[in-house]
Amino acid sequence: MTRLQALNPETTTGKTKELFNQVQSKLGTVPNMMRTMGNADAVLEGYLNLSGALSKGKLGGKTGELIALAVGESNECHYCVAAHTYIGEKLLKTDIATIEAARLGKSEDSKIKAILQFAKTLVAKSGRINDEDVDSAKKAGVSDEEISEIVAHVALNVLTNYFNNTANTLVDFPAVATV
């Protein structure tokens, strides 16, 4: 059972209504996570702004989705794992083997693997990264710009993971079994 109410986009007003309209026009729907975030329009707006900014970053959409999968799996967020599996597979045309590997921080591409491992290490160490962690990523070809974006992607996904785990958001994407 959900712990926080998912708002109905048809009955909201003010800033929340404006944000829901933006999401609706972009996605064709307002997913339950965003409907629930709408209880605090500052939270929804912050999420949308950071997500939008990162979508224009150097790492790109596909890598961002792979990071989201790795972080979601680390934080046992069923909503985010389901959502990012759907987005990765259906919208970004990522094969299911790549998606499942990303959830475990793995990839056949050595740079992507380093990015995912760095993301999972950030989560495991609560952000207390050491020189070896950074050096390992850099040796795999990850730039300072990319490391900065990885940190931001992890922060964004920790926000959504913690939010959904707190709200017990009703998953409105196809269910995904845990890896």
Side-chain angles (χ1 to χ4, degrees), residues 12 18 20 34 38 41 43 55 64 76 78 114 119 132 140 145 161 176:
T12 58
E18 291 173 30
F20 282 177
M34 292 177 213
D41 57 46
V43 173
S55 73
E76 299 179 29
H78 301 291
E132 284 180 20
E145 178 182 9
N161 295 169
V176 175

Side-chain angles (χ1 to χ4, degrees), residues 110-127:
S110 61
K111 184 174 178 181
I112 297 295
K113 181 179 178 182
I115 288 169
L116 297 175
Q117 285 296 306
F118 189 77
K120 286 184 91 58
T121 300
L122 271 167
V123 173
K125 291 185 173 185
S126 300

Side-chain angles (χ1 to χ4, degrees), residues 74-179:
S74 294
N75 288 319
E76 299 179 29
C77 181
H78 301 291
Y79 188 95
C80 291
V81 171
H84 293 290
T85 296
Y86 180 86
I87 292 165
E89 185 179 12
K90 302 298 184 197
L91 303 180
L92 297 175
K93 307 300 183 201
T94 305
D95 65 272
I96 199 67
T98 299
I99 289 169
E100 289 177 358
R103 290 172 62 186
L104 300 173
K106 298 178 180 180
S107 175
E108 291 183 13
D109 179 296
S110 61
K111 184 174 178 181
I112 297 295
K113 181 179 178 182
I115 288 169
L116 297 175
Q117 285 296 306
F118 189 77
K120 286 184 91 58
T121 300
L122 271 167
V123 173
K125 291 185 173 185
S126 300
R128 293 181 194 90
I129 295 297
N130 61 35
D131 292 345
E132 284 180 20
D133 299 323
V134 173
D135 290 343
S136 179
K138 285 184 174 186
K139 285 178 185 169
V142 182
S143 70
D144 288 359
E145 178 182 9
E146 291 166 323
I147 289 171
S148 298
E149 286 187 21
I150 296 165
V151 173
H153 275 282
V154 169
L156 176 67
N157 286 286
V158 166
L159 166 65
T160 60
N161 295 169
Y162 285 16
F163 183 86
N164 288 311
N165 286 342
T166 298
N168 199 28
T169 307
L170 179 66
V171 179
D172 51 351
F173 292 92
V176 175
T178 56
V179 176

